[in-house]
Amino acid sequence: MNLHSGILVVAAERNLRRQLFDALDQAGYPCIHSARDVTHAAILLEGRPALQLIIAVLDGDEQQAQLTCEQMQTLPGGLDTPLLAVLGESASFDPSELPSCVCDWLHVTQIASELATRWRRLQTRLPAGANNRSPSTDGQGDYRYLFDESDSEWLIVDPTSQCVLEVSSTVVRHSRLHASQWEGMPLAEMLRFEGVGIEQVLLDADRRWYPCQRKSAQGDDTGQANVRRIPHAGSAALALMFRSDRADLRAEAALALLSRMFISTSGVDTQIAAARLLFDELGLDYLTVWSVRTGAIDAPNQLLQLWSGDDLEWPAAQWQTSLQSVLAGKAFLYRSDALALASPDPLLLQLGLTGFAGLPLYDERHTVLGAMLAGSRKAFGEMAIIEPVLRCAAARFAQVIELNRTRAQARAEGLVDALTGLPNRLLFNDRLDTILSEATRSGECFAVLFVDLDQFKAINDSHGHAAGDQVLRVVAQRLIASVRASDTVARYAGDEFIIVLRHIVKNDDVQRVAEKIVQAMSTPLNLDTGVTLNVTVSMGLSFFPDDAGDTEILLRHADEAMYAAKKQGRNTFKIYEMSPEYAKQHGTVLRSRLRHAEGNGELRVVYQPQVDTGSEDIVGMEALVRWEHPELGMISPAVFIPLAEETGLIVSIGEWVMRTACRQAQEWERQYGLRLRLGVNLSAVQLMEPHLLDTVARVLTDTGLDPDLLELEITESISIKAAPNLIENLNALHRLGCHIAIDDFGTGAASLDYLRRLPTDRIKIDQSFVRNIGVDPDDEAIVRATIDMAHRLNRAVVAEGVETEQHFEFLREHRCDELQGYLFCRPQPPLHFGSLLAERQRLLDERTTVAA
């Protein structure tokens, strides 16, 4: 017999109640009550036996906390029930001042990581016979608290017949199917799991989330579900929780939608994309955005419109009553009775909308800038979710309209350099911000060239300012002629110009443009006075995202590289790099920052695909670590990896990289099932670790990645004799199921010894040889010999640094197995690499459809 009715959670904020519920639920506690306040809690607990635990969120000052704790003790059985306090964000008292009735406390940020642990620890301290019962699933607790206190959908299922016994009201509301249409039905007819049989899910009942589709009156809703065992009517049953992915039904999905909308920039295309996102995620049939100018006699201007129905004749704006009302500042928001409540509007009648919203778009002064109208032929979903989403979307569109008008006004006031006709500094900075935002979203790479005229002051002093102006105009013309129409050339200040080269495939392309500019400037310049001048420039180059992730650091690095070019003798260019001198001078600071880089989220893992030479399909990827310093931007691995090895930090950083990459690879494997091999580099320090095998095994276990998909890469420069445990570690990893690859092959002195003594599966030809294909016959001979030798020893070969079609054709002709390099793809962050895999899957699906 169950003597305890469970755990009570009391929190005023819904999201905190959700966090506390999820933390306890995941820990296996079957009976959790959640209440907004003491009054709500008293109603929930009426007629129930004593509680195991009360968890209360405390905010405000010491007096408020004292009052809340006293109220908890007034609940049925409250005096005898342990009380655990969670300190909210606005708590302004010292935890040592908590009332004596509080057994333990934690901060709100520790809920997910600490709550269950604190409760278990508290149970061991409670006296025998107290309300300290461990989680189980065999009690007779009342499961209906799930129905009342969660916005998730719950289905109670008979484990024998697999038929639905009962559903929560949320299921009925979201699916728009009556409870009688659910109860008694086989679960398989109402819910379909993806990639796993429903029998297996119900048999395991292990609370894991599985993607699935739930039946509704409008079709199927996608989402995730998990299953657990519960007591029901004196016997066992299964409780299935379903969470929809629809943004109009679930707050998490709505927040994700808004996040994606607000990432978009102010361009027309991106605003249409944001509108399409809103249209699709909310299941709308109609969405339009209008702009209007206060006091203007012009008609409203329609910025965009989406409609799911057939083509029709749209009434003029002045005949759309609802639009005119919204532009006058009146808001409409009707869930299901738009036609009955809205003013007579021929458009609403014509479209047959049931759910309808019309929201004014305001600027900061609360002046109406336009209107957003949204509608659906069926009733809107949860209004508690729909309304804030629509209002946030309206605010976003209003912000964009206001920003575009501000920019247009600024342009009218002059953002172009009068002398050269180029964008000036202000306009350039605006463009660079836009370019960086688009590149961040799309994965594009671009370069910044900082151009400075050499000895320009001497020209002004010797020949006058008129001559100096003519020089600036000619230089501007030569710069424009040296780049593509899609690139940007701007006059930044005085004798300084800046160029942005878009859509960079490989860094060598940028160097060729820089060389072209140097050559163009070498042509003598004839002044109107008859004087001939030889004008030269010094240039500094920096790259996004390799050198920096924001505009300020990117420009600073290009400027530093330009001054390095001047120091080298002028009339040349330099690519930004953190010099060994800088690293040496600031080594202590960099080591200190590196110690905190992982915890501060400054480390990134990017992925570069490896493709099959024959099919050109992706067969693997290499995980590469990047350090984005908040002040210095991107720091080259050539600089920080040696620092990490010196300090021993490479062990923890290496494990973090491996864990992060394996987790991501497993997620892609779950999504696409491609069996992509993941290459992860191991440093000499890691290879000498006696516990390396345990570390790798633990990572594989924790992430779920198949060992056969993990390839550990070791550099050829590591000496077998100088690295204790090297051979033992590699043999053990090989037995574990991992593959071993030799990186940078051909650059060391022990190549044959490596192949003979180590359990290698693959060798990677160093890019220094590959890049000289077509240039150096000796390097070509080395590549051919390496491929032939590896194949004779039954090793596969990957060529790194493949950047041109000539490289590709040579390697294919000589039967290199796999290729890696900028010709196929630069290293990509997870989001963009995932998009690459999704596009590959889409193309395969299209081919399958055509073939069928």
Side-chain angles (χ1 to χ4, degrees):
M1 180 178 177
N2 181 17
L3 300 176
H4 308 286
S5 65
I7 298 174
L8 171 66
V9 170
V10 181
E13 295 183 30
R14 182 184 182 86
N15 66 321
L16 287 181
R17 296 199 298 274
R18 178 80 259 172
Q19 289 180 49
L20 291 163
F21 179 95
D22 285 346
L24 294 167
D25 181 58
Q26 291 299 322
Y29 292 94
C31 189
I32 310 154
H33 312 280
S34 68
R36 297 182 299 274
D37 49 33
V38 176
T39 303
H40 185 197
I43 296 171
L44 282 175
L45 299 177
E46 185 176 358
R48 296 177 187 263
L51 293 164
Q52 295 175 252
L53 173 69
I54 297 176
I55 301 174
V57 176
L58 304 182
D59 275 307
D61 56 21
E62 180 185 357
Q63 187 175 358
Q64 289 175 283
Q66 179 75 40
L67 177 61
T68 302
C69 292
E70 290 175 356
Q71 291 174 335
M72 294 299 115
Q73 292 184 295
T74 65
L75 292 170
L79 279 172
D80 301 321
T81 303
L83 175 60
L84 192 152
V86 177
L87 306 192
E89 294 288 357
S90 61
S92 58
F93 54 87
D94 191 310
S96 63
E97 299 169 351
L98 284 167
S100 58
C101 60
V102 175
C103 298
D104 200 355
W105 67 273
L106 67 155
H107 193 264
V108 68
T109 58
Q110 299 173 293
I111 290 174
S113 60
E114 287 287 323
L115 181 61
T117 303
R118 296 291 181 90
W119 171 220
R120 284 193 290 268
R121 189 168 64 197
L122 182 60
Q123 286 175 302
T124 63
R125 301 204 310 258
L126 292 175
N131 296 341
N132 55 346
R133 183 171 175 268
S134 298
S136 67
T137 56
D138 58 355
Q140 297 298 314
D142 185 354
Y143 64 86
R144 286 182 176 80
Y145 71 93
L146 299 171
F147 290 2
D148 300 330
E149 300 157 24
S150 173
D151 60 353
S152 298
E153 302 177 22
W154 289 91
L155 299 85
I156 308 302
V157 179
D158 184 296
T160 304
S161 66
Q162 296 186 3
C163 290
V164 178
L165 300 174
E166 190 175 357
V167 296
S168 65
S169 59
T170 316
V171 174
V172 175
R173 190 167 66 250
H174 288 179
S175 69
R176 295 175 186 165
L177 295 174
H178 192 270
S180 61
Q181 295 176 272
W182 285 93
E183 293 166 4
M185 295 296 296
L187 182 63
E189 293 185 15
M190 314 304 282
L191 203 75
R192 295 197 309 275
F193 287 92
E194 300 175 9
V196 62
I198 193 168
E199 295 82 5
Q200 188 63 47
V201 174
L202 296 180
L203 178 64
D204 293 343
D206 54 5
R207 301 178 186 235
R208 281 194 297 169
W209 291 97
Y210 296 93
C212 61
Q213 294 179 323
R214 190 257 297 128
K215 186 176 181 180
S216 77
Q218 286 80 37
D220 291 339
D221 287 342
T222 61
Q224 307 89 39
N226 72 17
V227 181
R228 81 237 10 231
R229 294 181 176 84
I230 62 165
H232 179 266
S235 60
L238 298 172
L240 185 145
M241 179 198 290
F242 176 80
R243 288 182 177 175
S244 174
D245 287 338
R246 281 174 49 190
D248 58 337
L249 294 183
R250 196 157 66 88
E252 293 93 329
L255 286 173
L257 163 63
L258 291 175
S259 174
R260 283 179 285 165
M261 284 189 63
F262 274 76
I263 286 173
S264 62
T265 61
S266 58
V268 174
D269 291 343
T270 52
Q271 291 315 298
I272 293 175
R276 170 60 67 180
L277 205 57
L278 185 71
F279 187 81
D280 292 340
E281 293 291 333
L282 294 186
L284 300 176
D285 292 303
Y286 174 63
L287 176 66
T288 183
V289 176
W290 295 77
S291 70
V292 67
R293 291 188 178 273
T294 304
I297 60 174
D298 298 336
N301 177 37
Q302 188 176 53
L303 302 180
L304 60 90
Q305 177 174 283
L306 300 173
W307 164 241
S308 64
D310 298 329
D311 292 338
L312 47 82
E313 292 187 15
W314 299 90
Q318 63 266 31
W319 298 112
Q320 296 184 34
T321 311
S322 298
L323 172 62
Q324 295 301 323
S325 296
V326 174
L327 291 174
K330 182 178 180 180
F332 295 101
L333 201 58
Y334 301 133
R335 181 177 183 273
S336 59
D337 47 4
L339 295 179
L341 297 179
S343 301
D345 188 328
L347 184 60
L348 290 182
L349 294 171
Q350 193 173 8
L351 301 181
L353 300 179
T354 300
F356 178 70
L359 298 173
L361 308 183
Y362 294 108
D363 64 10
E364 291 182 349
R365 297 172 298 279
H366 211 66
T367 302
V368 176
L369 297 173
M372 183 187 80
L373 307 179
S376 172
R377 287 168 169 166
K378 60 180 184 293
F380 282 149
E382 294 289 327
M383 291 307 291
I385 297 174
I386 284 281
E387 181 176 353
V389 168
L390 290 176
R391 291 193 183 278
C392 286
R396 172 59 174 160
F397 289 125
Q399 179 190 46
V400 170
I401 292 173
E402 185 173 18
L403 180 61
N404 287 340
R405 290 181 183 178
T406 301
R407 287 177 174 172
Q409 181 180 357
R411 291 188 183 94
E413 293 173 354
L415 292 176
V416 174
D417 177 54
L419 178 65
T420 62
L422 297 175
N424 63 17
R425 185 177 192 145
L426 185 61
L427 180 55
F428 170 78
N429 286 337
D430 180 75
R431 282 192 184 177
L432 185 58
D433 286 338
T434 301
I435 290 169
L436 187 137
S437 297
E438 292 176 355
T440 301
R441 188 173 58 256
S442 66
E444 172 197 339
C445 300
F446 67 86
V448 172
L449 282 68
F450 206 111
V451 184
D452 185 87
L453 271 67
D454 297 326
Q455 308 291 358
F456 181 70
K457 185 177 184 299
I459 295 174
N460 263 338
D461 293 344
S462 302
H463 302 283
H465 289 288
D469 289 349
Q470 184 180 352
V471 168
L472 291 172
R473 284 194 295 269
V474 173
V475 168
Q477 292 165 4
R478 291 181 179 181
L479 291 176
I480 293 172
S482 300
V483 300
R484 301 162 299 182
S486 60
D487 299 323
T488 296
V489 181
R491 185 183 177 195
Y492 203 62
D495 60 344
E496 295 175 343
F497 296 84
I498 291 191
I499 302 172
V500 178
L501 302 179
R502 302 285 304 271
H503 309 295
I504 299 303
V505 176
K506 53 184 181 292
N507 295 0
D508 288 352
D509 294 338
V510 179
Q511 295 183 49
R512 278 192 284 272
V513 173
E515 291 166 353
K516 183 178 179 181
I517 292 173
V518 170
Q519 185 176 1
M521 294 301 167
S522 66
T523 303
L525 192 156
N526 298 314
L527 296 178
D528 294 339
T529 59
V531 176
T532 299
L533 298 177
N534 291 312
V535 178
T536 62
V537 296
S538 297
M539 289 177 287
L541 285 61
S542 63
F543 293 86
F544 173 88
D546 293 350
D547 296 326
D550 66 71
T551 56
E552 181 182 353
I553 299 177
L554 201 61
L555 289 172
R556 188 169 74 226
H557 285 346
D559 186 47
E560 291 170 1
M562 182 269 292
Y563 279 106
K566 284 189 177 294
K567 288 180 181 178
Q568 190 170 300
R570 298 185 175 87
N571 192 28
T572 187
F573 65 89
K574 290 286 289 182
I575 297 174
Y576 170 78
E577 60 180 355
M578 181 181 287
S579 66
E581 292 77 16
Y582 183 97
K584 186 175 182 180
Q585 292 171 11
H586 299 79
T588 303
V589 175
L590 286 175
R591 288 186 187 91
S592 176
R593 287 305 301 260
L594 186 57
R595 290 184 188 279
H596 305 287
E598 179 185 337
N600 292 341
E602 297 170 13
L603 297 181
R604 310 274 187 271
V605 178
V606 294
Y607 303 86
Q608 187 170 32
Q610 297 166 339
V611 303
D612 180 84
T613 308
S615 66
E616 297 183 47
D617 195 9
I618 300 175
V619 293
M621 56 193 161
E622 181 179 4
L624 302 164
V625 64
R626 298 288 186 262
W627 181 16
E628 187 173 0
H629 192 287
E631 287 86 30
L632 299 174
M634 290 293 183
I635 299 178
S636 168
V639 172
F640 76 83
I641 292 296
L643 290 177
E645 290 180 333
E646 284 178 26
T647 58
L649 292 172
I650 193 66
V651 176
S652 62
I653 291 175
E655 181 178 350
W656 177 85
V657 171
M658 184 184 299
R659 184 176 297 277
T660 302
C662 287
R663 184 184 300 114
Q664 183 62 74
Q666 174 60 19
E667 175 60 22
W668 285 329
E669 178 63 21
R670 185 189 66 79
Q671 286 182 285
Y672 304 107
L674 295 177
R675 302 292 295 172
L676 294 183
R677 185 181 64 252
L678 170 68
V680 177
N681 289 279
L682 291 179
S683 74
V685 178
Q686 289 173 281
L687 285 166
M688 289 186 282
E689 279 285 301
H691 304 298
L692 177 62
L693 177 63
D694 295 336
T695 299
V696 175
R698 184 170 61 251
V699 167
L700 291 170
T701 300
D702 293 346
T703 61
L705 185 68
D706 185 346
D708 188 52
L709 298 183
L710 178 61
E711 182 168 83
L712 301 167
E713 300 183 6
I714 62 170
T715 181
E716 189 191 10
S717 61
I718 298 173
S719 168
I720 293 177
K721 295 179 181 179
N725 305 318
L726 174 64
I727 296 178
E728 294 80 358
N729 274 336
L730 292 181
N731 280 323
L733 290 170
H734 209 256
R735 288 193 296 271
L736 183 63
C738 302
H739 296 275
I740 307 297
I742 299 178
D743 201 9
D744 304 330
F745 190 84
T747 60
S751 302
L752 291 174
D753 195 35
Y754 261 53
L755 287 177
R756 184 175 61 83
R757 298 183 60 185
L758 299 182
T760 54
D761 303 284
R762 197 178 322 274
I763 66 170
K764 302 183 73 176
I765 303 176
D766 186 69
Q767 57 188 342
S768 61
F769 300 108
V770 175
R771 285 176 178 167
N772 280 337
I773 290 174
V775 178
D776 189 335
D778 290 340
D779 283 344
E780 289 182 358
I782 290 173
V783 171
R784 285 196 301 269
T786 302
I787 295 172
D788 184 60
M789 176 183 65
H791 286 170
R792 289 178 185 276
L793 296 173
N794 294 319
R795 268 50 165 196
V797 184
V798 181
E800 297 182 292
V802 181
E803 295 186 352
T804 68
E805 288 293 337
Q806 187 177 17
H807 296 166
F808 174 55
E809 293 299 336
F810 179 91
L811 292 163
R812 182 165 61 180
E813 179 185 349
H814 292 92
R815 299 184 301 112
C816 182
D817 301 292
E818 296 170 13
L819 310 172
Q820 178 179 344
Y822 286 1
L823 179 63
F824 305 101
C825 189
R826 299 173 68 97
Q828 297 291 324
L831 180 64
H832 298 138
F833 196 90
S835 300
L836 186 70
L837 297 181
E839 178 64 13
R840 175 195 178 280
Q841 188 64 46
R842 186 187 67 79
L843 292 173
L844 286 178
D845 291 343
E846 285 183 359
R847 291 176 190 170
T848 303
T849 302
V850 170

